[in-house]
Amino acid sequence: MDETQDTGMDRRRFLTVLGVTGAGTAALSGCSTDRVQKLIPYLVQSEDQVPGVPTYYASTCTECAAGCGLHVKTREARAIKLEGNPAHPVNAGKLCARGQAGLQSLYNPNRVRGPKKRLADGGTSDIPWNDAIAEFAAKATAAGGKLAVISGAGRGTFSDLLAAWTAALGGRVVRYQPFDHEPMVAANRQVFGVAGLPSHDFASAKFIVSFGADFLETWLAPVENQRGFAASHGYHDGTKSRHVALSPRMSLTGMNADEWFAIVPGAEAAIALSMAQVILAERSSAPADAVALRGMLAAYAPEQIAQQSGLTADQIKLLAREFVSAEPSLAVAGGIGSQHAGAAQLCAAVNILNYVAGNVGTTVRFGADLDAGDGYAALAALQKQMEAGEIAVLVVHEANPVYALPKSSGFAAAMAKVPYKVSTALVLDETAALCDLLLPESHGLERWDDLRPRAGVQSLMQPVMEPVFDTLPTGEVLLRAAKAAGGPLAALQAASWEEYLKARWQGVAKARGAADFPSFWVTTLAAGGLYDAAPVSAVKRAPGAQSVVGTSPAF
């Protein structure tokens, strides 16, 4: 066997390479007919890069809506490892498997490598960025009020720019996230009159009851939940918290429970209301306005719901007594494992349980205002407009509704009725494959950006390396399109997306009394952002709490 053919290296080629390793740039062609290659040694490097010595940058994870802080390890200007930022209040130096896998999306060979335009035959062809942006600007301005944007991006300077850019053209933005915890938002609106998501203090809870909420895996901020659970459930000073899981399915959270009850599917809400009934019947220190719920809860006495729940009346009473006596306690519900017809009522029932036990304001804190989208109802309303031909241009950013929504929803068919569709996806996903123009966004590790995942947290993102492919931040695309279009977009002007972002942060620095912005910027960037304590808002029982029911949904 000819080994030179197998390795692609012969004696002449080897000596040629060996002879130029100390010289600058050399052609490696010799006398062969191989294509010319160039060996470029690392002679002129950035002052921040030393070969063999890693450089670390602070940034923010974008793999989910939690917005954990990152420390990115780079070698020779390439990101090679992600870890948590110890200063960040959400993850405190920890990072989940999904966050660790952020490098996979960065170096994914299937990423869209540059702007592309749909051809008449259904294929795509490369298009220069200037031409792509000019076409995008012309289509968007011509659409006027028939412009719509579906965005899965978190809150931050970009989402503010996107909203202003779209509003200037008379369009609308729908913020959509598949894991949006809509039942929790609806339940909070019904029981407390607050349409938002609270934070949960697992670390302080002495008794935790999970009603199907897989809080150790996919529920709200998993890393924060895991840290809190480890702190409370670990053995410290002779004590540890107790964790009970009530769910028909053995999840990761159920596997870590001290006791798991395989209850009847859909019985979670009735059990929560039954526990609340026991607490109100036996406790005199419940909130004053909670006493009015006794009449509504009378129908959920343990003896009345035991047969339909999979628990005995004595088990329900014991759970209720342990739950209320272990102050503070915490009950949680909702999430992907509980997405059924009774999901909102389950979350509302757990709200009532936490309220009568005195947990609201201690382990359940409103005011953190965790990031959430506009919900499926807003997306469904937009889909109706698409089907009616009321949308001329659709922009899809960091979202894949064709994949995320059931096929029976008919979203793909509705998209087909939109004359012009634009996607900023990193890869050619199911939604991007139906679009007419692809404007691939730079990865979160390749661009400037920021996020406000909750009140008190303003996280920064910075490019830790040059873009792997010919991509641009979508904020840069919007600003260039505004410059090209002028007219109603003329007010949205900046030299670049980086400068636009820094201008917003100059306002933050001024509000905090920082006179020297360059120093403020460097310090904040090194810390990964600004972290203040989230405010705590007091909530009271709303009239809708009286209408909460624990009827099991039909499966």
Side-chain angles (χ1 to χ4, degrees):
M1 183 176 72
D2 188 352
E3 295 186 358
T4 59
Q5 289 184 355
D6 193 40
T7 62
M9 177 69 74
D10 56 17
R11 179 174 178 272
R12 179 187 297 276
R13 188 175 181 81
F14 173 76
L15 292 177
T16 303
V17 173
L18 188 66
V20 302
T21 52
T25 301
L28 305 184
S29 59
C31 299
S32 71
T33 58
D34 292 346
R35 65 184 180 86
V36 175
Q37 300 179 28
K38 292 185 178 181
L39 181 67
I40 306 177
Y42 202 46
L43 296 179
V44 181
Q45 72 263 12
S46 167
E47 60 181 11
D48 296 329
Q49 301 289 337
V50 178
V53 178
T55 304
Y56 293 85
Y57 297 90
S59 190
T60 305
C61 181
T62 58
E63 295 299 313
C64 79
C68 294
L70 291 180
H71 274 175
V72 186
K73 180 180 180 180
T74 66
R75 278 280 303 272
E76 285 74 62
R78 283 290 181 266
I80 62 172
K81 189 68 173 72
L82 304 180
E83 293 293 350
N85 181 354
H88 202 281
V90 175
N91 58 322
K94 310 301 180 183
L95 198 62
C96 70
R98 189 172 174 182
Q100 292 280 1
L103 291 179
Q104 303 298 321
S105 59
L106 173 65
Y107 295 116
N108 185 356
N110 293 323
R111 285 178 60 183
V112 180
R113 304 195 174 200
K116 295 181 181 296
K117 182 179 179 179
R118 182 73 58 189
L119 300 176
D121 61 2
T124 60
S125 66
D126 295 340
I127 180 174
W129 269 110
N130 288 340
D131 295 347
I133 292 174
E135 179 175 322
F136 172 51
K139 293 286 187 178
T141 52
K146 291 188 175 183
L147 168 69
V149 180
I150 300 174
S151 174
R155 288 180 307 200
T157 301
F158 171 77
S159 64
D160 295 341
L161 171 62
L162 179 63
W165 190 92
T166 308
L169 294 175
R172 59 176 297 200
V173 177
V174 174
R175 296 187 63 228
Y176 174 70
Q177 298 173 0
F179 299 165
D180 214 10
H181 303 282
E182 289 183 60
M184 293 182 65
V185 175
N188 294 335
R189 184 187 300 111
Q190 179 181 0
V191 177
F192 302 120
V194 177
L197 295 173
S199 61
H200 299 81
D201 188 0
F202 286 89
S204 300
K206 296 180 181 179
F207 196 97
I208 302 169
V209 181
S210 169
F211 291 86
D214 194 6
F215 62 83
L216 293 179
E217 191 167 10
T218 60
W219 192 78
L220 292 177
V223 177
E224 183 181 33
N225 301 339
Q226 293 162 10
R227 289 194 303 107
F229 180 73
S232 67
H233 202 248
Y235 191 76
H236 300 291
D237 300 326
T239 63
K240 64 186 288 290
S241 69
R242 178 167 160 76
H243 173 212
V244 175
L246 302 169
S247 173
R249 170 181 172 269
M250 173 65 84
S251 64
L252 177 64
T253 301
M255 293 174 64
N256 284 274
D258 297 297
E259 195 168 7
W260 170 61
F261 293 95
I263 61 175
V264 175
E268 297 96 326
I271 296 173
L273 293 177
S274 185
M275 290 175 62
Q277 189 275 335
V278 173
I279 293 172
L280 279 182
E282 300 180 354
R283 185 189 186 200
S284 59
S285 58
D289 58 347
V291 177
L293 298 173
R294 284 178 176 169
M296 180 269 290
L297 294 174
Y300 298 96
E303 292 79 9
Q304 295 177 257
I305 66 103
Q307 186 175 3
Q308 70 186 58
S309 68
L311 298 179
T312 66
D314 289 340
Q315 286 176 320
I316 295 174
K317 290 177 182 179
L318 180 60
L319 277 176
R321 290 162 184 164
E322 289 181 337
F323 183 76
V324 74
S325 62
E327 298 181 10
S329 55
L330 175 62
V332 292
I336 302 304
S338 302
Q339 293 286 65
H340 50 68
Q345 288 303 302
L346 166 58
C347 294
V350 170
N351 280 347
I352 290 177
L353 175 59
N354 277 317
Y355 193 66
V356 300
N359 296 328
V360 177
T362 55
T363 53
V364 181
R365 299 171 183 166
F366 286 87
D369 189 26
L370 273 64
D371 191 14
D374 297 329
Y376 175 70
L379 185 62
L382 174 60
Q383 181 176 334
K384 289 183 178 180
Q385 288 185 291
M386 293 161 57
E387 293 169 343
E390 298 174 4
I391 302 298
V393 175
L394 177 68
V395 181
V396 184
H397 174 72
E398 291 190 17
N400 187 6
V402 173
Y403 173 81
L405 296 176
K407 187 176 181 179
S408 59
S409 69
F411 190 86
M415 274 193 68
K417 297 182 179 180
V418 178
Y420 194 78
K421 301 167 287 290
V422 181
S423 173
T424 64
L426 272 70
V427 297
L428 191 64
D429 58 32
E430 290 79 359
T431 303
L434 302 179
C435 290
D436 304 289
L437 186 65
L438 303 180
L439 304 175
E441 181 177 41
S442 297
H443 191 274
L445 299 176
E446 299 172 330
R447 70 177 190 265
W448 291 101
D449 216 330
D450 64 4
L451 287 174
R452 300 191 299 271
R454 62 180 63 187
V457 177
Q458 301 181 74
S459 301
L460 274 167
M461 299 162 59
Q462 58 179 314
V464 304
M465 54 183 282
E466 291 292 321
V468 179
F469 302 114
D470 184 21
T471 58
L472 283 178
T474 306
E476 182 74 25
V477 173
L478 295 182
L479 291 173
R480 292 190 188 183
K483 183 177 181 180
L489 296 174
L492 300 174
Q493 299 291 333
S496 66
W497 165 239
E498 178 185 352
E499 294 302 318
Y500 187 92
L501 180 71
K502 287 183 177 179
R504 183 258 168 185
W505 276 83
Q506 284 178 343
V508 175
K510 184 178 180 181
R512 299 174 78 94
D516 184 3
F517 177 72
S519 297
F520 170 85
W521 177 253
V522 171
T523 302
T524 305
L525 195 61
L530 296 173
Y531 316 120
D532 301 317
V536 178
S537 302
V539 296
K540 291 293 184 180
R541 178 183 62 84
Q546 291 281 4
S547 59
V548 175
V549 296
T551 305
S552 297
F555 292 104

